[in-house]
Amino acid sequence: MGSPFIYGMSVDGEHFTDREWETKRLALNFTNGVNSILISPRRMGKTSLVKKVAGMVNSDDLKVVYVDIYNCRTAYEFYEKFASAVIRATATKVEKMIETAKKFLMGVVPQINYSPEPNTDFSLSVGITPNANPPEEILNLPERIATERGIRIVVCVDEFQQIGEMPDALTVQKTIRSVWQHHRRTSYCLFGSKQHLMSQLFYSRKMPFYQFGDMFFLKKIPTDKWVPFIVERFKQSGKVISSTLAERICQAVDNYSAYVQQLAWNVLVVCGEEVTPQDIEEGLGATLDQVAPLFIEQTANLSTYQLNFIRAICRGYHDGYGRSEVASQFSLGSMSNISKLKKALVDRDIVEITESGCHLADPLFKLWFIREMM
Ligand SMILES: Nc1ncnc2c1ncn2[C@@H]1O[C@H](COP(=O)(O)OP(=O)(O)OP(=O)(O)O)[C@@H](O)[C@H]1O
Ligand SMILES: [Mg+2]
């Protein structure tokens, strides 16, 4: 048996829980050719959900393409990855992939690179160049393949926020949208982390991807779904945890998916046959130590004003930062400075703004900050 809890990568099978409603909705979108946009805080389970649905609906008539563009820094890096993923997902044999690339894309010299290990994966580089292959040709690739084969295609683009970070980002977005909106046999599922970047791409009327598709926000997995999952995973490892303590794991990390699994794992490591409240505390300490380097990096370049703003949030102030009560405790500067602080921290995904005001986006960041920086 592998590890009972997984938190560093997308999960499936027995490591996956809940998401029934989202699975149904996304599957319906995929099978009906409706574009989908999926947004959530980091590590909530976007990739896991999309991969699960992709596995469910993929068939000879409906091909699901998955492409992660996290490492793409320019439009052409994206086009290369996009074309390669579309060709790989729609051709079964390597020879067919080369043939498809040459047939649909002008003047390309595709290459297959095998990894040195036997029976392992290979990579396909299509060899797209800005001179020979205009964006429209590449972006139309799935639609042309789908039309020729009489199939339908769903292209899932993970870490889509990268599109907003490229040089000449607005032109790139306009080009992509103007091509994709005419597709009848191809639909798209666009999703990503870095919430504020994703929101900028899709929420503003001025942006090309405004109202591109069915947009939904992936919520936290509720405690009543987590508890039986945690109890069962402990049982599988020959250990016992009460529902109350499983609930405490969820509460400690505010139901953040990856943290629930990470904390559960750290508790499992320290506990005896049966989990005690002390084990939860120890597990939480270990989890905080594991994530601390990231938080140190995130706060290293913050100004004193920005740190003070975070301190105010940790003390329970979520709005009204201009009030004398807040000003007397935390030096935040003028009202216009406060607005700037807010924006800078939201842009860094440290702070999120909800109906109830400013909150820290990451529950462990908050615990760590109180432990180390208050
Ligand atoms: N449905 C689920 N059931 C159980 N655990 C989950 C589920 N979805 C996510 N997780 C937990 O969250 C972790 C991150 O999942 P995933 O990579 O799918 O999230 P993500 O939102 O794509 O993250 P990122 O923002 O880093 O791209 C998983 O390793 C797992 O621990
Ligand atoms: Mg992901």
Side-chain angles (χ1 to χ4, degrees), residues 45-48 66 158-159 191 193:
K46 298 171 293 291
T47 304
S48 305
Y66 171 85
D158 202 346
E159 307 290 356
F191 58 112
S193 47

Side-chain angles (χ1 to χ4, degrees), residues 6-11 15-17 19 40-48 159 193 221 226 257-258 261:
I6 293 180
Y7 51 88
M9 54 181 86
S10 62
V11 289
H15 298 284
F16 187 101
T17 182
R19 301 293 187 214
S40 82
R42 292 205 55 220
R43 302 280 157 125
M44 205 55 99
K46 298 171 293 291
T47 304
S48 305
E159 307 290 356
S193 47
I221 295 172
W226 274 124
S257 305
Q261 294 230 31

Side-chain angles (χ1 to χ4, degrees), residues 20-80:
E20 287 125 31
W21 178 85
E22 294 92 340
T23 302
K24 219 189 240 174
R25 173 151 166 189
L26 208 52
L28 268 175
N29 286 356
F30 282 18
T31 48
N32 288 288
V34 176
N35 295 328
S36 313
I37 295 140
L38 189 56
I39 300 183
S40 82
R42 292 205 55 220
R43 302 280 157 125
M44 205 55 99
K46 298 171 293 291
T47 304
S48 305
L49 172 66
V50 172
K51 285 190 166 171
K52 177 182 171 166
V53 174
M56 278 167 57
V57 304
N58 195 49
S59 71
D60 287 346
D61 304 326
L62 178 66
K63 287 286 166 208
V64 185
V65 179
Y66 171 85
V67 53
D68 180 341
I69 63 165
Y70 188 75
N71 292 324
C72 297
R73 297 282 169 267
T74 65
Y76 266 84
E77 284 175 24
F78 164 65
Y79 296 145
E80 169 70 36

Side-chain angles (χ1 to χ4, degrees), residues 207-280:
M207 297 301 277
F209 275 96
Y210 181 66
Q211 293 203 327
F212 179 69
D214 175 30
M215 186 145 137
F216 63 107
F217 189 86
L218 196 61
K219 296 201 186 82
K220 295 170 188 173
I221 295 172
T223 306
D224 62 339
K225 299 285 180 180
W226 274 124
V227 168
F229 173 84
I230 296 170
V231 169
E232 180 58 28
R233 307 302 304 149
F234 271 84
K235 198 169 148 198
Q236 294 279 326
S237 312
K239 312 245 177 168
V240 177
I241 184 169
S242 66
S243 296
T244 314
L245 290 184
E247 227 176 287
R248 199 173 292 177
I249 290 181
C250 301
Q251 280 160 2
V253 293
D254 201 14
N255 288 34
Y256 268 61
S257 305
Y259 287 154
V260 171
Q261 294 230 31
Q262 186 168 359
L263 176 53
W265 169 248
N266 282 322
V267 171
L268 187 87
V269 169
V270 295
C271 74
E273 267 171 37
E274 187 166 354
V275 176
T276 65
Q278 178 58 29
D279 296 330
I280 308 265

Side-chain angles (χ1 to χ4, degrees), residues 59-218:
S59 71
D60 287 346
D61 304 326
L62 178 66
K63 287 286 166 208
V64 185
V65 179
Y66 171 85
V67 53
D68 180 341
I69 63 165
Y70 188 75
N71 292 324
C72 297
R73 297 282 169 267
T74 65
Y76 266 84
E77 284 175 24
F78 164 65
Y79 296 145
E80 169 70 36
K81 268 215 149 164
F82 176 80
S84 164
V86 169
I87 290 169
R88 279 191 72 148
T90 51
T92 40
K93 293 206 181 91
V94 169
E95 305 82 64
K96 192 84 184 154
M97 289 176 198
I98 306 270
E99 190 190 309
T100 310
K102 286 185 171 166
K103 178 172 176 184
F104 287 98
L105 298 164
M106 287 291 290
V108 294
V109 185
Q111 279 181 344
I112 303 281
N113 297 306
Y114 291 95
S115 84
E117 318 278 310
N119 299 326
T120 50
D121 214 4
F122 62 85
S123 66
L124 164 70
S125 81
V126 183
I128 277 170
T129 57
N131 287 338
N133 310 101
E136 290 76 10
E137 182 194 44
I138 306 152
L139 292 166
N140 272 320
L141 180 66
E143 185 71 0
R144 287 165 64 212
I145 294 178
T147 307
E148 193 207 55
R149 309 241 171 101
I151 59 171
R152 285 186 305 118
I153 294 178
V154 182
V155 184
C156 305
V157 187
D158 202 346
E159 307 290 356
F160 188 75
Q161 76 282 346
Q162 287 303 127
I163 293 287
E165 298 286 271
M166 292 171 176
D168 217 0
L170 197 58
T171 313
V172 176
Q173 288 164 60
K174 279 185 190 155
T175 308
I176 300 175
R177 167 113 202 205
S178 68
V179 176
W180 284 357
Q181 71 185 356
H182 298 296
H183 290 176
R184 291 294 164 263
R185 287 181 168 273
T186 313
S187 60
Y188 296 87
C189 173
L190 311 177
F191 58 112
S193 47
K194 301 216 179 143
Q195 245 176 303
H196 80 277
L197 291 177
M198 285 294 282
S199 307
Q200 279 168 10
L201 293 180
F202 294 100
Y203 283 134
S204 163
R205 275 171 202 279
K206 290 190 218 127
M207 297 301 277
F209 275 96
Y210 181 66
Q211 293 203 327
F212 179 69
D214 175 30
M215 186 145 137
F216 63 107
F217 189 86
L218 196 61

